[in-house]
Amino acid sequence: MKIAIDITHSPSGGAVTQILKMLEVFNQIDELEIVIYSKKSNNNLISHLTANNRVILSKLSDLSIIGRILWGQLLLPFYLMRENVDVLFCPGNIGPIFSPVKTVIWIGTIGPFFKDFIKNFFWISKGQNKTKLYINRFFMVLSSFKADAVIFESQFTKELFINRYNIKEKKSHVINIGFDEYFADNYRMISNANGGTSKFNNNSKYILCVSHLYPYKNIIRLLIAYKKVIDTSKTSAKLIIAGNGGYKHYDNKINRCINDLKINNNVVLLGGVSKKNLKELYLNAYLLAFPSPFENFAYTLVEAMSCGTPIVCSNTTAIPETCKNSALYFDPYDTFDMAEKISLLLENDILREEMSKKSIQRARELPDYNQVTFRTLNIMKELINA
């Protein structure tokens, strides 16, 4: 069985781990032959896993989203025929509309399908912009319509595609993203969460937010809600935000908000952190506050649940499906509701311990990366044998 994998997109966060785990497992199966279509900027991600695989680089995909689409729609089909591939796997949301082989698309984002998400971006910017989002949405829908199988990370996203775009039910599959064993290999120490020693908390409790500082992530409302929390509860808990920026105008907006609210001494912007440090942050946090309104099946939430971190989060999109009863939910557009739920969990030790146990229980219900890989492989095999 010869599988082609198209990773000419730019995976990030947990999606990187998922792709690497897939390649690692595929390399251990003798009956599989793997062809990887990638781009130069992804070499550092996959170089240690490609010794036994044929790798074809797409220079166009390194240039822009337009370059990636041109390569995937016009050149990739010819490569697939030349390589005599059995099935093509596209984990980056988009695949060739006219594919000469069986094709499986993995849908990993839902942002471009919501107006409130898109309005956060400019028409012209160096990073993500409205033009790219509309292009992505168009080709995601068209690719899914033409693909032989479509894998969604949540039932929410599957129903969105079926109900809004008439994607066929029989070719639609839901595979929740796998939890990372790295985050689940230690039990959360409740004593640590109640003032344990950590280089991040300096013997004090803190509220954790793990998020890229993108406009749609709703960080400004979290800061406003946090100000309400410290004004009403007189808590000493700091707010630690771990995640990179990328949009200078939004980074400036966050800093202005912190200054205007006079919470400079209460908020710590860590920027990007290593996986090791991220785990320590989860394990020592009093709670995770997750204000994003637009999520498919968030890796951050799965990581936090794996560590047993108590969670307060938005009640929108696929987030309730992700956490189920292991989180307290708030309206992400209501800073009073957000502040109330944060305060409730922050001040109630018994509830916090209960939610910590529920987080661990929920994480254990999810498939690990190996299970996700084999479920995906079975879908491919069924297509070939059909």
Side-chain angles (χ1 to χ4, degrees):
M1 178 177 173
K2 194 169 187 178
I3 300 174
I5 304 176
D6 179 8
I7 50 174
T8 54
H9 61 301
S10 299
S12 62
V16 174
T17 306
Q18 182 66 74
I19 290 172
L20 294 179
K21 289 290 185 181
M22 280 190 170
L23 288 174
E24 184 181 306
V25 172
F26 287 166
N27 284 338
Q28 296 171 0
I29 302 176
D30 292 335
E31 67 182 89
L32 298 184
E33 183 180 353
I34 308 298
V35 179
I36 299 171
Y37 299 102
S38 184
K39 58 181 181 177
K40 190 175 181 180
S41 55
N42 282 340
N43 274 352
N44 61 319
L45 298 177
I46 63 171
S47 58
H48 65 294
L49 291 170
T50 58
N52 299 320
N53 301 317
R54 178 165 167 73
V55 179
I56 299 171
L57 295 180
S58 162
K59 293 181 179 179
L60 273 175
S61 297
D62 267 312
L63 298 177
S64 65
I65 180 65
I66 299 298
R68 178 197 167 198
I69 288 173
L70 288 174
W71 183 86
Q73 301 303 321
L74 300 179
L75 297 179
L76 178 56
F78 290 99
Y79 280 108
L80 295 171
M81 288 188 290
R82 189 183 72 179
E83 296 293 331
N84 197 25
V85 168
D86 294 308
V87 62
L88 169 67
F89 176 51
C90 301
N93 301 307
I94 294 172
I97 296 168
F98 299 104
S99 175
V101 302
K102 300 289 187 180
T103 301
V104 179
I105 306 291
W106 183 292
I107 299 296
T109 185
I110 58 171
F113 299 93
F114 293 89
K115 291 180 180 179
D116 285 343
F117 176 95
I118 295 174
K119 74 178 184 182
N120 286 289
F121 298 90
F122 297 127
W123 280 105
I124 300 174
S125 71
K126 292 182 180 179
Q128 191 75 282
N129 58 58
K130 291 184 180 181
T131 306
K132 289 182 180 179
L133 291 171
Y134 283 120
I135 292 172
N136 264 319
R137 185 174 71 185
F138 176 80
F139 279 97
M140 285 173 67
V141 172
L142 203 52
S143 298
S144 299
F145 195 80
K146 301 291 287 187
D148 298 283
V150 186
I151 298 174
F152 301 96
E153 293 178 0
S154 66
Q155 186 68 28
F156 175 90
T157 309
K158 174 185 171 181
E159 291 176 0
L160 185 149
F161 272 65
I162 290 174
N163 296 332
R164 190 182 297 183
Y165 301 108
N166 297 316
I167 302 301
K168 293 180 180 179
E169 167 83 32
K170 66 179 181 180
K171 71 174 185 180
S172 301
H173 308 265
V174 174
I175 302 179
N176 297 145
I177 57 173
F179 71 89
D180 192 337
E181 290 285 354
Y182 177 82
F183 290 100
D185 65 1
N186 286 341
Y187 287 103
R188 176 181 172 84
M189 300 300 294
I190 300 300
S191 59
N192 282 353
N194 289 299
T197 300
S198 166
K199 66 180 179 180
F200 296 108
N201 65 15
N202 295 320
N203 293 316
S204 64
K205 60 185 179 181
Y206 62 89
I207 299 163
L208 176 65
C209 174
V210 177
S211 173
H212 291 296
L213 303 186
Y214 295 165
Y216 75 90
K217 289 293 188 177
N218 210 23
I219 302 300
I220 298 297
R221 286 194 180 92
L222 174 61
L223 292 170
I224 295 171
Y226 173 68
K227 171 64 173 174
K228 297 181 192 299
V229 170
I230 59 178
D231 283 349
T232 56
S233 67
K234 305 301 180 183
T235 181
S236 61
K238 293 184 180 295
L239 172 62
I240 294 181
I241 301 177
N244 288 316
Y247 295 89
K248 188 175 180 180
H249 74 283
Y250 192 64
D251 293 342
N252 292 336
K253 188 174 181 180
I254 289 173
N255 286 314
R256 283 197 304 271
C257 182
I258 292 172
N259 289 329
D260 292 343
L261 294 172
K262 296 181 173 57
I263 53 177
N264 307 66
N265 295 327
N266 305 84
V267 177
V268 180
L269 300 176
L270 285 181
V273 298
S274 68
K275 194 171 182 178
K276 177 182 178 181
N277 289 343
L278 181 58
K279 180 176 180 177
E280 186 177 350
L281 282 167
Y282 285 134
L283 289 172
N284 287 282
Y286 252 53
L287 61 94
L288 176 82
F290 192 79
S292 172
F294 309 103
E295 297 293 335
N296 187 8
F297 205 93
Y299 285 92
T300 295
L301 293 173
V302 177
E303 290 169 353
M305 289 188 297
S306 299
C307 288
T309 310
I311 296 171
V312 288
C313 58
S314 300
N315 60 2
T316 52
T317 55
I319 298 172
E321 181 182 342
T322 306
C323 296
K324 293 193 174 178
N325 71 339
S326 70
L328 296 183
Y329 295 100
F330 52 68
D331 179 346
Y333 302 104
D334 185 342
T335 57
F336 288 96
D337 187 29
M338 195 182 299
E340 181 183 359
K341 297 302 168 46
I342 291 173
S343 295
L344 177 62
L345 194 54
L346 189 66
E347 298 171 359
N348 190 323
D349 292 345
I350 295 175
L351 177 61
R352 198 167 55 253
E353 185 171 349
E354 177 186 342
M355 298 309 294
S356 175
K357 293 176 181 177
K358 286 184 177 181
S359 281
I360 293 172
Q361 181 179 354
R362 172 57 180 152
R364 288 173 177 168
E365 294 172 358
L366 299 173
D368 60 28
Y369 283 127
N370 284 345
Q371 290 172 317
V372 170
T373 297
F374 281 108
R375 290 180 189 179
T376 304
L377 182 59
N378 285 338
I379 291 172
M380 297 181 196
K381 288 181 177 180
E382 288 174 5
L383 285 179
I384 294 173
N385 296 329

